[in-house]
């Protein structure tokens, strides 16, 4: 299987602190990969460097075999923890604005809303949406360009149990449709249900990585395995 994302010896330092300490990992095409660890472990900094929002101090990032990330990010849909929307506009109007920004046809709006289960809500104002619905709307925005690769930073953060369940179902469906997905999250039990491969981060380093089934052999679940390697 070919590689969608390759990160090699990536490093970022803030003052005396190494926020990301020479990490390396690969995300294969068609896989759902979890970058997992507690808050402050370096996950968001890593995602920000992949998205060219932060400049690395060292290392290399290749997307679809290309080090020209600006060009390849056009094939990537992104959901950041700080994603925004216009509460007084409808779901469809919000996505029309996204279409203009991204330079894509508005014909993609209904398809994106249908994928996230919001097509029947397209004309309703976003201020009346639950947090889970707002998050799914942000996923719809990421899907407008019909990307090959999706990057999500803490997609279930702040959601209630129903919102988490809805987001889990959506992420599993996107993975099953053949999308390549990178998810940064601290919710180990949730990501165990969604991802095939993970890298465990703590204090800027990757402690271990691989297929979940292999990593958790001999342990009850991914959380127990994580506690074992981090204790």
């Amino acid at each position: 299987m070919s590689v969608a994302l390759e990160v090699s010896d990536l490093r970022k330092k803030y003052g005396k602190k190494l926020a990301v300490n020479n990490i390396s990992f690969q995300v294969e095409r068609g896989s759902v990969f979890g970058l997992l660890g507690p808050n402050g472990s370096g996950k968001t900094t890593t995602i920000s460097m992949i998205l060219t929002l932060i400049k690395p101090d060292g290392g290399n990032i290749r997307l679809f075999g290309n080090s020209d990330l600006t060009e390849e990010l056009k094939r990537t849909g992104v959901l950041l923890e700080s994603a925004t929307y216009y509460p007084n506009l409808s779901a469809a109007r919000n996505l029309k604005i996204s279409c203009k920004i991204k330079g894509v046809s508005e014909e993609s709006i209904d398809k994106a809303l249908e994928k996230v289960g919001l097509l029947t809500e397209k004309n309703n104002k976003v201020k009346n949406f639950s947090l889970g619905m707002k998050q799914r709307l942000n996923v719809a925005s990421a899907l407008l360009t019909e990307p090959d690769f999706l990057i999500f930073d803490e997609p279930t953060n702040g959601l209630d149990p129903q919102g988490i369940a809805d987001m889990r179902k959506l992420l599993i469906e996107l993975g099953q449709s053949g999308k390549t997905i990178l998810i940064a999250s601290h919710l180990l039990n949730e990501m165990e249900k969604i991802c095939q491969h993970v890298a465990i981060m703590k204090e800027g380093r990757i402690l271990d990585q691989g297929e979940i089934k292999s990593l958790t052999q001999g342990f009850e679940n991914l959380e127990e395995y994580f506690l074992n390697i981090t204790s």
Side-chain angles (χ1 to χ4, degrees):
M1 188 176 290
S2 59
V3 175
L5 171 69
E6 183 177 6
V7 172
S8 305
D9 301 317
L10 194 63
R11 185 173 72 257
K12 183 63 184 179
K13 193 173 184 179
Y14 293 111
K16 295 181 179 179
K17 181 183 178 182
L18 263 175
V20 175
N21 188 356
N22 293 86
I23 68 170
S24 300
F25 64 91
Q26 292 184 349
V27 179
E28 295 182 344
R29 292 197 191 202
S31 70
V32 182
F33 188 100
L35 193 61
L36 309 181
N39 293 330
S41 59
K43 304 185 306 294
T44 296
T45 300
T46 300
I47 294 291
S48 297
M49 287 189 283
I50 294 167
L51 298 176
T52 70
L53 300 174
I54 296 175
K55 186 177 180 180
D57 291 325
N60 296 288
I61 303 169
R62 296 175 69 86
L63 199 51
F64 302 110
N66 193 349
S67 57
D68 181 0
L69 301 182
T70 302
E71 187 62 30
E72 295 302 334
L73 284 171
K74 294 175 183 177
R75 301 168 60 185
T76 304
V78 180
L79 173 64
L80 298 178
E81 198 175 353
S82 58
T84 58
Y85 50 83
Y86 298 92
N88 289 315
L89 299 181
S90 68
R93 286 293 302 276
N94 268 277
L95 293 188
K96 283 181 181 180
I97 293 170
S98 294
C99 282
K100 287 182 179 179
I101 293 171
K102 297 176 181 183
V104 297
S105 169
E106 293 181 4
E107 293 178 0
S108 59
I109 290 174
D110 281 4
K111 185 177 180 180
L113 286 171
E114 186 173 17
K115 279 186 178 178
V116 302
L118 290 177
L119 186 57
T120 57
E121 307 289 338
K122 65 181 288 185
N123 295 317
N124 294 336
K125 290 185 177 180
V126 175
K127 68 180 180 181
N128 297 320
F129 283 11
S130 67
L131 282 175
M133 292 168 69
K134 290 171 183 173
Q135 191 72 320
R136 282 187 283 139
L137 177 62
N138 287 325
V139 174
S141 180
L143 293 173
L144 288 172
T145 59
E146 298 189 1
D148 298 311
F149 191 25
L150 292 165
I151 297 177
F152 296 145
D153 188 14
E154 300 287 0
T156 57
N157 228 25
L159 302 185
D160 61 18
Q162 184 60 55
I164 290 174
D166 290 341
M167 181 59 65
R168 180 202 312 138
K169 180 175 180 288
L170 175 57
L171 292 172
I172 290 172
E173 288 174 352
L174 289 171
Q176 290 173 342
S177 74
K179 297 288 187 188
T180 305
I181 306 175
L182 172 63
I183 307 173
S185 178
H186 65 280
L187 299 178
L188 301 177
N189 288 335
E190 199 58 40
M191 291 302 104
E192 186 172 9
K193 301 170 186 174
I194 299 169
C195 304
Q196 292 101 36
H197 297 80
V198 295
I200 305 292
M201 290 191 72
K202 185 180 181 182
E203 296 176 350
R205 295 171 53 244
I206 289 180
L207 301 184
D208 204 354
Q209 60 181 301
E211 190 177 9
I212 289 179
K213 288 181 180 178
S214 297
L215 294 177
T216 57
Q217 200 164 16
F219 296 92
E220 186 175 333
N221 50 39
L222 185 61
E223 185 175 9
E224 183 181 299
Y225 163 75
F226 173 80
L227 292 173
N228 179 71
I229 66 170
T230 57
S231 61

